[in-house]
Amino acid sequence: MGNEWKLRTRTLTAGRVPLLMGVVNVTPDSFSDGGRFFEPAAAVEHGLRLAGEGADLLDIGGESTRPGAEPVSPGEELRRVMPVIDRLQGAGLPLSIDTSKAEVAREALAAGVEVINDITALAADPAMPSLAAASGCGVVAMHMLGNPRSMQQHPVYRDVVGEVLDFLRRRRDALLAAGIQQQRIALDPGIGFGKTTAHNLALLRTIGQFQALGCPLVLGVSRKRFIGQVLGDPAAERTFGTIGAALAAARQGVQVLRVHDVAAVRQALRLFEAAGGL
Ligand code: HH2
């Protein structure tokens, strides 16, 4: 249940080892790699490298969602991502567009993108669910408390796991009602989006429970702040911590990991599986 994820023209099948979604940020200000791949040529080269390292799909974003980030207009977002999408089409693996704007998603889909990855769970733009339903694309619906500008100010939950589960169940049902097939819907608890380190760790420890929702799970732990907080050092280098969190997720059957360091996580997963960790 939940291991098949139908995209627009193909189906991804998750085995015991999670699929890897490689991150291509075409932004000047992303929290971990802001500015490094802002030039289209650099972003394309980066995407091709991640494909060569064993990514199963590439997630292309033109707006940073880091805490406190300023919003970007749809025109600017399109100007950033479209040249990169056009040139990564030939890479041979499915592309997803990381956006909350239907205008951006529509153009990306027209250029061949297979997945809408929306940190607002397709709720910020009322045109998003019908666009996804009509195009037959895959979707990622993610939980966030508040919005990127304010989400880390003082996140409070009574029961973080129960509340995120409830939210994702309600969004799954709303997307089904909008005509998106269950097999196309992937769900993501949104690590770091309106959550303290304790909240993030509670979600990571219990992520296996989210399999009951009957959809593939996507998880983005890569280089996030909670890793630096657990390690208690400046952690400019969070790759090793990312691997630890990725293995914990893999053991609980998470189907898709969204990562910056594809080669490192791929190698760790191969050994984890070979050594009986899965
Ligand atoms: N995290 C980020 C962005 N998009 N999408 C999903 N589904 N899940 C995530 O956890 C997630 C996401 C933030 O990471 P990054 O893209 O590296 O940074 P920024 O938003 O600053 O560009």
Side-chain angles (χ1 to χ4, degrees):
M1 206 168 74
N3 286 337
E4 296 258 291
W5 189 18
K6 279 198 181 298
L7 313 184
R8 211 158 57 139
T9 65
R10 39 193 148 182
T11 301
L12 290 179
T13 306
R16 292 190 323 152
V17 177
L19 300 166
L20 297 185
M21 173 189 252
V23 179
V24 181
N25 285 323
V26 199
T27 57
D29 57 347
S30 286
F31 78 93
S32 80
D33 55 10
R36 281 186 62 201
F37 311 116
F38 192 39
E39 287 301 319
V44 171
E45 191 190 321
H46 184 62
L48 294 175
R49 181 163 67 243
L50 297 184
E53 290 176 358
D56 297 287
L57 70 164
L58 295 177
D59 188 39
I60 301 166
E63 177 174 39
S64 174
T65 56
R66 75 175 202 291
E70 289 297 324
V72 172
S73 72
E76 172 61 14
E77 210 176 312
L78 280 168
R79 203 183 57 73
R80 294 177 182 181
V81 296
M82 289 312 294
V84 178
I85 288 172
D86 286 339
R87 284 157 64 194
L88 284 177
Q89 272 311 326
L93 70 179
L95 304 181
S96 76
I97 176 74
D98 187 347
T99 190
S100 306
K101 303 183 184 85
E103 193 179 331
V104 174
R106 191 175 295 111
E107 292 269 323
L109 291 168
V113 161
E114 301 247 356
V115 176
I116 299 172
N117 172 26
D118 186 344
I119 61 163
T120 74
L122 291 81
D125 187 331
M128 204 62 127
S130 53
L131 172 67
S135 76
C137 65
V139 301
V140 182
M142 195 196 80
H143 174 271
M144 168 168 56
L145 188 68
N147 60 56
R149 292 182 79 166
S150 63
M151 65 189 181
Q152 288 307 107
Q153 278 162 16
H154 183 50
V156 177
Y157 300 84
R158 200 177 16 81
D159 161 17
V160 65
V161 174
E163 286 169 49
V164 174
L165 251 172
D166 267 5
F167 171 88
L168 291 178
R169 187 179 297 110
R170 278 187 282 108
R171 287 310 298 161
R172 178 201 64 191
D173 291 345
L175 297 175
L176 289 170
I180 304 173
Q181 296 167 310
Q182 171 129 357
Q183 284 170 305
R184 300 194 193 275
I185 303 172
L187 301 171
D188 182 337
I191 296 298
F193 285 85
K195 289 151 191 116
T196 62
T197 293
H199 295 143
N200 291 321
L201 291 175
L203 288 164
L204 276 176
R205 291 190 194 108
T206 55
I207 185 71
Q209 291 179 25
F210 288 67
Q211 302 286 359
L213 295 168
C215 295
L217 302 177
V218 175
L219 192 71
V221 291
S222 193
R223 299 183 186 169
K224 286 195 176 160
R225 187 180 309 187
F226 80 96
I227 294 173
Q229 292 190 337
V230 170
L231 295 178
D233 60 25
E237 176 60 85
R238 293 181 184 160
T239 307
F240 306 131
T242 297
I243 289 171
L247 298 183
R251 202 164 54 81
Q252 296 177 75
V254 165
Q255 286 84 356
V256 184
L257 291 172
R258 181 183 182 279
V259 293
H260 301 86
D261 306 294
V262 170
V265 177
R266 172 64 74 211
Q267 287 186 17
L269 286 168
R270 282 176 63 187
L271 261 293
F272 195 59
E273 185 189 32
L278 290 172

